[in-house]
Amino acid sequence: MDLTGGSTLARTSDAPSSDVVPSSVRSSAAHSSADGSSADGSSSVAPASAARASGSSGLRGSGSRASVPEARGPVAAEGRVAAAGRVAPRAARPAVTELRLSAFAGHRSAVHALGPVTLFAGPSGSGKSTTLRAYEALARLGAGDTLDEVFPDAADCVPERARPDAQGRRGFRIGCTVDGPEGPVHLDVAVQAEPRLRIVGERLTGRDGRTLLATALRDPGRPAVQAEWHTAGATPVTRAPLPDDLLGTALLPLRVAGKTRGQLEVLAAAEQVVVGLRSAFACDPRPERMRAPVAPGEGRLRRGCENLAEVLHRTHTDCPRRHHRLAAVAGAGCTGPVTGLGVQELPEGTVRAVLERGGHPATPLGRLGDGELRYLALALTLLTGPGVLEMDRIAEVPDAMQSLTLLADGLDRGLDGRQLGELLRLAADIAADGHIRLAGTVGERSAGEARRTPGVTVVDLGG
């Protein structure tokens, strides 16, 4: 299957290794009629424009996330029997276990295995942040974000030495593997960045190597790609146009009926990938924004953690066990004795968090150093779950199956060796039960501490 133009479910060879979006993206209007029907006469879903207007694309309104229908895929209870009579594999939490950067910024043909705690290390310019950015981009596409929202500067993602084709087109390719109840499921996406941003090819591959979904750009003049997915019924393949600015895999749960064994297989694989990708939360604590008192609200931690005091105000009452554990962790990473984490309600209606010192005056968090604040915020994300973070929590997934992958670029920024060591040990301990995973980046100086921590995998990008 050629990810960038010639995909069919009958052809499953690997995508070409060129950094350039190849000339196979050229117009092939004969493959698709004006109304979106396939060339062989198979019926198709309404064109992308109609799908957007009717809401059948799988999105809940503008800017919302792709919905995962309840109990049709890997989130169903263990031991359920599918309509086709196949017993579902044992339930497990979907997780991204491999990241592929086939051609992305400074990376080419890069494949990285991801464990429960994985840190990318290397000197400045080695591509640590770019690697994590690719992960976050896939996560956002899986959540239903549009391509221009995910890649506002898409040209910077194109490999620097990639040459345009005869039509002036250049692009990049990324992918991942999501393991779970359906076994390893592979997702690969080819994006055209110039002259117009669009997805030109997508492939979803099951654990047995079967191509479950393939899309290709057939008519460059239309804002759609031709999609084919496995059916295994009276019609072995279903064809339909999908919008070229959304991830097709995220749209499948609301496009596939689930009436045949093949459709159930496609649904289960797509839902596993969507659940695994949507479980990511990018956290980048900004100490300069965390010092001032804040107004109480719903208590969901934002990416920059500027509302840390508000979240502590919530966990103090709603999650006392986790709050007490955070207080114990705080004592290991903050200067001086720490006997607890308190929250003070101020006369103007705001709240501020304080370190309790056991008989000594409490210390407002605003007086702490940058490293102490970053340490506390990162520890909080590890000790909580999706319900306490400002992320698109997957309501269709039972609480017992909820998981979280924390993405932390510059995990060691501002931390001393003691704080980093404590944080890594906490991450490894928390990740052991399978609910929470961590993927981050650290500098060369911190890589040694990470390598000495049991349960932490270090990927060196400096070689």
Side-chain angles (χ1 to χ4, degrees):
M1 183 190 76
D2 181 350
L3 272 180
T4 55
S7 64
T8 65
L9 293 187
R11 289 166 47 203
T12 58
S13 60
D14 291 336
S17 59
S18 169
D19 290 344
V20 183
V21 175
S23 58
S24 58
V25 179
R26 293 189 181 95
S27 174
S28 180
H31 290 279
S32 178
S33 64
D35 63 357
S37 301
S38 59
D40 63 0
S42 300
S43 62
S44 68
V45 184
S49 57
R52 281 194 178 115
S54 65
S56 62
S57 63
L59 298 182
R60 297 190 296 269
S62 175
S64 62
R65 303 292 189 262
S67 175
V68 181
E70 185 175 358
R72 289 203 303 181
V75 300
E78 178 182 1
R80 68 168 173 83
V81 179
R86 179 172 60 90
V87 178
R90 180 173 179 173
R93 299 179 187 88
V96 178
T97 56
E98 184 179 81
L99 185 64
R100 295 184 294 278
L101 308 182
S102 301
F104 187 74
H107 300 273
R108 179 166 176 158
S109 302
V111 180
H112 302 301
L114 302 178
V117 179
T118 304
L119 298 178
F120 295 94
S124 178
S126 61
K128 303 186 299 293
S129 297
T130 305
T131 301
L132 217 60
R133 181 188 178 188
Y135 189 132
E136 184 181 0
L138 287 168
R140 293 184 61 187
L141 289 173
D145 283 358
T146 60
L147 204 59
D148 57 352
E149 291 175 324
V150 177
F151 296 107
D153 51 353
D156 293 340
C157 301
V158 179
E160 188 175 359
R161 297 181 182 179
R163 296 181 179 179
D165 65 6
Q167 285 73 40
R169 291 175 287 209
R170 300 197 308 158
F172 53 89
R173 299 195 309 278
I174 55 178
C176 67
T177 298
V178 179
D179 213 340
E182 299 303 312
V185 180
H186 311 282
L187 171 68
D188 294 281
V189 184
V191 177
Q192 174 188 296
E194 299 170 349
R196 186 173 77 81
L197 183 62
R198 64 198 313 180
I199 295 176
V200 294
E202 181 179 344
R203 179 177 61 195
L204 187 70
T205 309
R207 60 182 169 186
D208 57 356
R210 185 195 303 274
T211 300
L212 302 176
L213 166 71
T215 72
L217 182 65
R218 298 300 192 189
D219 183 357
R222 299 180 62 200
V225 291
Q226 187 68 15
E228 303 174 350
W229 57 82
H230 181 58
T231 305
T235 303
V237 172
T238 300
R239 295 180 175 90
L242 292 178
D244 65 359
D245 62 342
L246 295 168
L247 190 70
T249 298
L251 302 179
L252 285 180
L254 293 183
R255 284 295 189 97
V256 180
K259 295 181 178 179
T260 69
R261 179 173 181 176
Q263 289 177 339
L264 289 170
E265 184 180 359
V266 170
L267 278 174
E271 291 171 11
Q272 176 169 297
V273 169
V274 170
V275 170
L277 288 175
R278 284 177 61 180
S279 300
F281 177 72
C283 184
D284 184 18
R286 297 290 180 176
E288 67 276 11
R289 304 176 184 175
M290 299 163 60
R291 302 184 184 281
V294 296
E298 62 176 339
R300 300 184 71 194
L301 190 68
R302 300 172 193 150
R303 177 176 184 144
C305 303
E306 60 269 19
N307 64 331
L308 178 64
E310 173 197 354
V311 176
L312 292 175
H313 182 261
R314 173 188 171 184
T315 60
H316 185 267
T317 55
D318 294 353
C319 314
R321 293 179 61 184
R322 292 179 180 178
H323 188 88
H324 292 156
R325 186 173 182 185
L326 178 62
V329 171
C334 296
T335 302
V338 177
T339 58
L341 270 174
V343 179
Q344 297 176 342
E345 298 183 2
L346 303 180
E348 58 269 25
T350 59
V351 296
R352 70 177 181 184
V354 298
L355 290 183
E356 297 171 349
R357 300 293 193 179
H360 299 279
T363 303
L365 261 58
R367 292 181 175 270
L368 300 183
D370 286 1
E372 292 175 305
L373 286 173
R374 280 184 54 81
Y375 171 84
L376 282 174
L378 290 167
L380 176 62
T381 61
L382 290 169
L383 288 169
T384 57
V388 185
L389 306 175
E390 192 173 67
M391 60 182 293
D392 185 31
R393 188 173 184 272
I394 309 172
E396 299 90 344
V397 178
D399 288 341
M401 293 287 292
Q402 290 282 348
S403 63
L404 168 70
T405 297
L406 173 64
L407 305 181
D409 189 18
L411 177 71
D412 58 339
R413 190 187 325 127
L415 303 183
D416 58 30
R418 172 181 59 105
Q419 292 167 332
L420 178 63
E422 291 290 344
L423 198 62
L424 291 179
R425 285 186 286 273
L426 174 65
D429 180 56
I430 293 294
D433 67 4
H435 282 279
I436 294 180
R437 298 166 67 92
L438 169 65
T441 68
V442 294
E444 286 186 295
R445 294 182 178 179
S446 301
E449 177 66 33
R451 291 189 182 95
R452 291 189 295 270
T453 305
V456 176
T457 300
V458 179
V459 179
D460 190 355
L461 301 180

